[in-house]
Amino acid sequence: GENVEQHPSTLSVQEGDSAVIKCTYSDSASNYFPWYKQELGKRPQLIIDIRSNVGEKKDQRIAVTLNKTAKHFSLHITETQPEDSAVYFCAAQEHGMKTSYDKVIFGPGTSLSVIP
Amino acid sequence: EPEVTQTPSHQVTQMGQEVILRCVPISNHLYFYWYRQILGQKVEFLVSFYNNEISEKSEIFDDQFSVERPDGSNFTLKIRSTKLEDSAMYFCASSVKGGNTEAFFGQGTRLTVV
Protein backbone atom coordinates (compact mmCIF):
# COMPACT_ATOMS: atom_id res chain seq x y z
CA GLY A 1 0.00 0.00 0.00
CA GLU A 2 0.82 3.66 -0.05
CA ASN A 3 3.47 5.06 2.29
CA VAL A 4 3.99 8.78 2.78
CA GLU A 5 7.15 10.24 4.30
CA GLN A 6 7.42 13.84 5.44
CA HIS A 7 10.31 16.10 6.42
CA PRO A 8 11.15 17.87 8.60
CA SER A 9 9.23 16.68 11.64
CA THR A 10 9.64 20.09 13.28
CA LEU A 11 10.35 23.46 11.72
CA SER A 12 10.88 26.86 13.31
CA VAL A 13 10.99 30.01 11.23
CA GLN A 14 11.02 33.72 11.93
CA GLU A 15 7.87 35.60 11.09
CA GLY A 16 8.05 36.76 7.49
CA ASP A 17 10.39 33.98 6.37
CA SER A 18 9.37 31.08 4.15
CA ALA A 19 8.68 27.53 5.25
CA VAL A 20 9.08 24.45 3.09
CA ILE A 21 7.81 20.98 3.91
CA LYS A 22 8.68 18.04 1.71
CA CYS A 23 6.93 14.72 1.21
CA THR A 24 7.48 11.57 -0.77
CA TYR A 25 5.04 8.83 -1.62
CA SER A 26 5.47 5.27 -2.78
CA ASP A 27 2.46 4.37 -4.93
CA SER A 28 2.80 5.70 -8.44
CA ALA A 29 -0.95 5.22 -8.89
CA SER A 30 -1.73 7.93 -6.32
CA ASN A 31 -3.09 10.97 -8.08
CA TYR A 32 -4.43 13.34 -5.44
CA PHE A 33 -2.29 15.07 -2.83
CA PRO A 34 -4.01 17.18 -0.18
CA TRP A 35 -2.32 19.15 2.56
CA TYR A 36 -4.00 19.51 5.92
CA LYS A 37 -3.35 21.98 8.73
CA GLN A 38 -4.16 20.88 12.23
CA GLU A 39 -4.16 23.34 15.09
CA LEU A 40 -3.80 21.97 18.59
CA GLY A 41 -6.85 20.00 19.61
CA LYS A 42 -8.70 20.69 16.39
CA ARG A 43 -9.67 18.80 13.27
CA PRO A 44 -7.43 18.58 10.20
CA GLN A 45 -8.47 21.17 7.66
CA LEU A 46 -7.59 21.15 4.00
CA ILE A 47 -5.46 24.11 3.02
CA ILE A 48 -4.53 23.19 -0.52
CA ASP A 49 -4.47 20.18 -2.79
CA ILE A 50 -2.92 19.18 -6.08
CA ARG A 51 -3.83 16.61 -8.64
CA SER A 52 -1.39 14.62 -10.69
CA ASN A 53 -2.12 16.41 -13.93
CA VAL A 54 -0.73 19.62 -12.43
CA GLY A 55 2.86 20.41 -11.45
CA GLU A 56 2.26 23.46 -9.29
CA LYS A 57 -0.61 25.24 -7.62
CA LYS A 58 -0.68 28.48 -5.67
CA ASP A 59 -3.20 30.06 -3.35
CA GLN A 60 -2.07 33.39 -1.91
CA ARG A 61 0.88 32.62 0.42
CA ILE A 62 0.67 28.87 -0.04
CA ALA A 63 1.99 26.87 -2.97
CA VAL A 64 2.41 23.19 -3.67
CA THR A 65 4.62 21.49 -6.21
CA LEU A 66 4.42 17.94 -7.45
CA ASN A 67 7.04 15.87 -9.20
CA LYS A 68 5.33 12.66 -10.24
CA THR A 69 8.46 11.14 -11.72
CA ALA A 70 10.33 11.46 -8.44
CA LYS A 71 7.18 10.95 -6.34
CA HIS A 72 7.90 14.13 -4.42
CA PHE A 73 5.59 16.94 -3.43
CA SER A 74 6.20 20.02 -1.35
CA LEU A 75 4.37 22.76 0.50
CA HIS A 76 5.72 26.29 0.45
CA ILE A 77 4.45 28.98 2.78
CA THR A 78 5.75 32.48 2.17
CA GLU A 79 5.65 35.48 4.49
CA THR A 80 4.86 33.29 7.44
CA GLN A 81 2.71 34.62 10.26
CA PRO A 82 2.31 33.39 13.86
CA GLU A 83 -1.12 32.03 12.99
CA ASP A 84 0.54 29.66 10.53
CA SER A 85 1.90 27.76 13.55
CA ALA A 86 0.32 24.29 13.49
CA VAL A 87 0.99 20.73 12.46
CA TYR A 88 0.90 20.23 8.71
CA PHE A 89 0.15 16.86 7.17
CA CYS A 90 0.77 15.94 3.60
CA ALA A 91 -1.28 13.08 2.23
CA ALA A 92 -1.67 10.94 -0.82
CA GLN A 93 -4.83 9.39 -2.06
CA GLU A 94 -4.41 5.70 -2.69
CA HIS A 95 -6.60 3.87 -5.14
CA GLY A 96 -8.75 1.32 -3.38
CA MET A 97 -9.66 -2.13 -4.58
CA LYS A 98 -12.79 -0.72 -6.13
CA THR A 99 -12.73 2.19 -8.49
CA SER A 100 -15.30 4.50 -7.03
CA TYR A 101 -13.54 5.65 -3.91
CA ASP A 102 -10.13 5.99 -2.35
CA LYS A 103 -8.52 6.43 1.04
CA VAL A 104 -6.20 9.19 2.10
CA ILE A 105 -2.87 8.16 3.58
CA PHE A 106 -1.30 10.81 5.78
CA GLY A 107 2.34 11.62 6.33
CA PRO A 108 3.66 11.80 9.91
CA GLY A 109 3.27 15.57 10.13
CA THR A 110 5.46 18.65 10.50
CA SER A 111 5.11 20.88 13.52
CA LEU A 112 5.65 24.42 12.28
CA SER A 113 6.41 27.20 14.72
CA VAL A 114 6.49 30.79 13.49
CA ILE A 115 8.40 32.99 15.89
CA PRO A 116 7.17 36.58 16.09
CA GLU B 1 -21.20 26.24 6.00
CA PRO B 2 -22.10 22.53 6.29
CA GLU B 3 -19.98 20.57 8.75
CA VAL B 4 -19.38 17.01 9.78
CA THR B 5 -20.46 16.70 13.39
CA GLN B 6 -19.38 14.08 15.89
CA THR B 7 -20.69 13.08 19.29
CA PRO B 8 -19.61 12.82 21.98
CA SER B 9 -16.61 15.13 21.99
CA HIS B 10 -15.00 13.07 24.75
CA GLN B 11 -15.75 9.56 25.91
CA VAL B 12 -14.17 7.76 28.83
CA THR B 13 -14.76 4.04 29.03
CA GLN B 14 -13.58 1.06 31.02
CA MET B 15 -11.36 -1.45 29.26
CA GLY B 16 -13.47 -4.23 27.80
CA GLN B 17 -16.55 -2.09 27.37
CA GLU B 18 -18.23 -1.37 24.07
CA VAL B 19 -18.32 2.16 22.71
CA ILE B 20 -20.19 3.73 19.84
CA LEU B 21 -18.91 6.91 18.27
CA ARG B 22 -21.41 8.86 16.25
CA CYS B 23 -21.05 11.05 13.21
CA VAL B 24 -23.39 13.06 11.04
CA PRO B 25 -21.73 13.56 7.65
CA ILE B 26 -22.50 16.47 5.38
CA SER B 27 -25.92 15.80 3.90
CA ASN B 28 -25.11 15.45 0.19
CA HIS B 29 -21.93 13.45 0.75
CA LEU B 30 -21.84 9.82 -0.28
CA TYR B 31 -18.49 8.60 1.01
CA PHE B 32 -17.71 8.24 4.68
CA TYR B 33 -14.52 7.54 6.57
CA TRP B 34 -13.17 6.96 10.03
CA TYR B 35 -9.64 7.92 10.98
CA ARG B 36 -7.88 7.85 14.29
CA GLN B 37 -5.03 9.87 15.72
CA ILE B 38 -3.11 8.69 18.73
CA LEU B 39 -1.88 11.69 20.73
CA GLY B 40 1.03 13.36 18.98
CA GLN B 41 1.01 10.99 16.05
CA LYS B 42 -0.26 11.03 12.51
CA VAL B 43 -3.78 10.56 11.30
CA GLU B 44 -4.37 6.90 10.42
CA PHE B 45 -7.00 5.56 8.06
CA LEU B 46 -9.40 3.02 9.56
CA VAL B 47 -12.23 2.44 7.12
CA SER B 48 -14.16 3.88 4.21
CA PHE B 49 -17.85 3.28 3.56
CA TYR B 50 -19.94 3.75 0.45
CA ASN B 51 -23.32 2.52 -0.68
CA ASN B 52 -23.98 0.90 2.68
CA GLU B 53 -20.90 -1.24 2.71
CA ILE B 54 -17.27 -1.10 3.70
CA SER B 55 -15.14 -0.29 0.70
CA GLU B 56 -11.70 -0.28 2.27
CA LYS B 57 -10.29 -0.98 5.69
CA SER B 58 -6.84 -0.89 7.22
CA GLU B 59 -5.10 -3.51 9.31
CA ILE B 60 -6.09 -1.50 12.38
CA PHE B 61 -9.77 -2.14 11.63
CA ASP B 62 -9.99 -5.68 13.01
CA ASP B 63 -12.96 -7.72 14.21
CA GLN B 64 -13.37 -5.45 17.22
CA PHE B 65 -14.42 -2.61 14.98
CA SER B 66 -17.60 -2.18 12.97
CA VAL B 67 -19.33 0.64 11.17
CA GLU B 68 -22.94 1.24 10.40
CA ARG B 69 -25.19 3.76 8.76
CA PRO B 70 -28.36 3.03 10.70
CA ASP B 71 -30.43 5.75 9.06
CA GLY B 72 -30.08 8.41 6.40
CA SER B 73 -27.96 10.73 8.47
CA ASN B 74 -25.84 8.93 11.07
CA PHE B 75 -22.62 7.01 10.58
CA THR B 76 -21.30 5.11 13.58
CA LEU B 77 -18.10 3.41 14.64
CA LYS B 78 -18.41 0.66 17.22
CA ILE B 79 -15.56 -0.80 19.20
CA ARG B 80 -16.79 -4.01 20.82
CA SER B 81 -14.29 -4.57 23.61
CA THR B 82 -12.06 -1.58 24.11
CA LYS B 83 -8.38 -1.88 24.88
CA LEU B 84 -6.06 0.69 26.42
CA GLU B 85 -4.39 1.16 23.05
CA ASP B 86 -7.69 2.23 21.51
CA SER B 87 -7.31 5.54 23.32
CA ALA B 88 -7.06 8.14 20.59
CA MET B 89 -8.90 10.92 18.80
CA TYR B 90 -11.32 9.45 16.29
CA PHE B 91 -12.21 11.57 13.29
CA CYS B 92 -15.12 11.00 10.98
CA ALA B 93 -14.88 12.43 7.48
CA SER B 94 -17.07 12.59 4.43
CA SER B 95 -16.71 13.52 0.80
CA VAL B 96 -19.01 14.08 -2.13
CA LYS B 97 -17.30 11.42 -4.15
CA GLY B 98 -14.41 9.10 -3.56
CA GLY B 99 -11.65 10.02 -5.92
CA ASN B 100 -9.64 13.23 -5.97
CA THR B 101 -12.04 15.20 -3.82
CA GLU B 102 -11.69 16.89 -0.47
CA ALA B 103 -12.60 14.94 2.63
CA PHE B 104 -14.19 17.12 5.31
CA PHE B 105 -13.33 16.15 8.85
CA GLY B 106 -15.45 16.33 11.96
CA GLN B 107 -14.10 17.85 15.14
CA GLY B 108 -13.27 14.42 16.55
CA THR B 109 -14.17 12.28 19.53
CA ARG B 110 -11.46 11.82 22.12
CA LEU B 111 -11.73 8.26 23.42
CA THR B 112 -9.99 7.46 26.67
CA VAL B 113 -9.91 3.84 27.76
CA VAL B 114 -9.06 3.33 31.43
Side-chain angles (χ1 to χ4, degrees), chain A residues 31-50:
Chain A
N31 59 2
Y32 175 62
F33 305 92
W35 286 87
Y36 286 86
K37 176 183 180 182
Q38 187 179 31
E39 296 175 353
L40 190 64
K42 296 191 176 179
R43 74 188 83 189
Q45 291 200 295
L46 183 80
I47 55 170
I48 196 166
D49 55 16
I50 190 166

Side-chain angles (χ1 to χ4, degrees), chain B:
Chain B
E1 186 177 331
E3 279 191 340
V4 176
T5 57
Q6 290 183 242
T7 54
S9 56
H10 190 190
Q11 172 109 33
V12 181
T13 189
Q14 294 274 344
M15 190 170 56
Q17 294 296 306
E18 175 184 285
V19 293
I20 298 176
L21 309 183
R22 302 181 191 279
C23 170
V24 178
I26 295 173
S27 62
N28 64 332
H29 287 189
L30 301 177
Y31 298 81
F32 315 115
Y33 312 88
W34 283 100
Y35 289 83
R36 80 171 186 190
Q37 186 177 32
I38 295 171
L39 188 64
Q41 298 187 22
K42 70 176 177 181
V43 180
E44 299 175 290
F45 171 80
L46 293 178
V47 66
S48 57
F49 190 89
Y50 169 72
N51 200 26
N52 285 320
E53 63 179 11
I54 290 174
S55 45
E56 285 288 338
K57 59 183 181 179
S58 72
E59 57 275 11
I60 301 168
F61 194 88
D62 61 22
D63 292 345
Q64 293 299 310
F65 291 87
S66 63
V67 289
E68 193 178 31
R69 189 157 161 81
D71 53 42
S73 59
N74 290 286
F75 178 52
T76 62
L77 174 70
K78 182 192 289 187
I79 309 175
R80 288 190 182 81
S81 179
T82 49
K83 303 187 284 285
L84 294 176
E85 53 264 38
D86 293 327
S87 295
M89 181 73 89
Y90 288 80
F91 290 105
C92 173
S94 68
S95 61
V96 171
K97 55 180 182 175
N100 301 343
T101 55
E102 178 181 357
F104 291 81
F105 282 75
Q107 80 279 19
T109 292
R110 178 161 297 286
L111 176 65
T112 303
V113 182
V114 297

Side-chain angles (χ1 to χ4, degrees), chain A residues 1 6 8 10 17 26 31-32 34 41 48 63 67 71 76 87-88 93 100 106 110 114:
Chain A
Q6 184 171 349
T10 59
D17 287 350
S26 61
N31 59 2
Y32 175 62
I48 196 166
N67 182 331
K71 291 188 264 187
H76 304 249
V87 178
Y88 291 79
Q93 192 156 28
S100 59
F106 283 75
T110 295
V114 179

